[in-house]
């Protein structure tokens, strides 16, 4: 939990690690578009601070090297990451706009 709090405070570090990990595993995770939309919402200056903190916490969990279920395990490795992200999005879903989602789709299609 302390590692997540520290990661949320280090937005630049989380962003750097986020892009590196997304490039490595993005094609293997079914929630990549939602993750990217959450990232774009969290980094949008118009997003309320409370929403940013919730989403950055979920994104920090995604990039942390240690989590409840190791990401290297086939099929279930990202289940905990998906669950944390789903819980965060459920709390702030109204803040993730169609523009965030469109930008996420465009990013994924340009990297395919």
């Amino acid at each position: 939990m302390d590692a997540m709090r520290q990661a949320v405070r280090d937005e630049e570090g989380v962003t750097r690690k986020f892009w590196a990990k997304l490039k490595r595993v993005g094609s293997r995770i079914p929630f990549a578009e939602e993750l990217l939309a959450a990232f774009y919402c969290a980094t949008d200056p118009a997003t309320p601070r409370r929403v940013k903190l919730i989403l950055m916490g979920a994104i920090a969990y995604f990039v942390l090297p240690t989590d409840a279920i190791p990401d290297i395990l086939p099929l279930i490795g990202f289940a905990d990451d998906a669950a944390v992200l789903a819980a965060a999005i459920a709390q702030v879903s109204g803040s993730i706009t169609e523009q965030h989602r469109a930008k996420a789709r465009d990013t994924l299609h340009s990297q395919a």
Side-chain angles (χ1 to χ4, degrees):
M1 193 57 116
D2 288 334
M4 276 183 63
R5 284 189 191 108
Q6 183 177 352
V8 169
R9 285 190 293 266
D10 179 19
E11 188 174 328
E12 185 178 312
V14 170
T15 298
R16 190 176 52 256
K17 291 175 186 174
F18 170 79
W19 285 113
K21 187 167 185 178
L22 187 66
K23 286 178 183 176
R24 258 191 349 267
V25 300
S27 63
R28 296 183 307 191
I29 55 174
F31 58 94
E33 186 175 318
E34 287 296 313
L35 180 64
L36 260 173
F39 174 80
Y40 287 131
C41 180
T43 57
D44 183 343
T47 300
R49 181 159 172 73
R50 177 188 158 282
V51 173
K52 286 182 180 207
L53 289 173
I54 291 169
L55 293 175
M56 285 307 284
I59 292 165
Y61 186 83
F62 172 74
V63 301
L64 284 174
T66 57
D67 55 21
I69 303 173
D71 294 339
I72 58 171
L73 294 175
L75 301 175
I76 63 166
F78 289 102
D80 58 328
D81 300 282
V84 168
L85 180 65
I89 288 174
Q91 288 188 5
V92 301
S93 62
S95 295
I96 300 175
T97 66
E98 184 51 41
Q99 288 80 13
H100 299 137
R101 295 182 190 288
K103 192 172 181 180
R105 281 190 298 273
D106 291 346
T107 299
L108 287 174
H109 291 300
S110 70
Q111 291 183 357

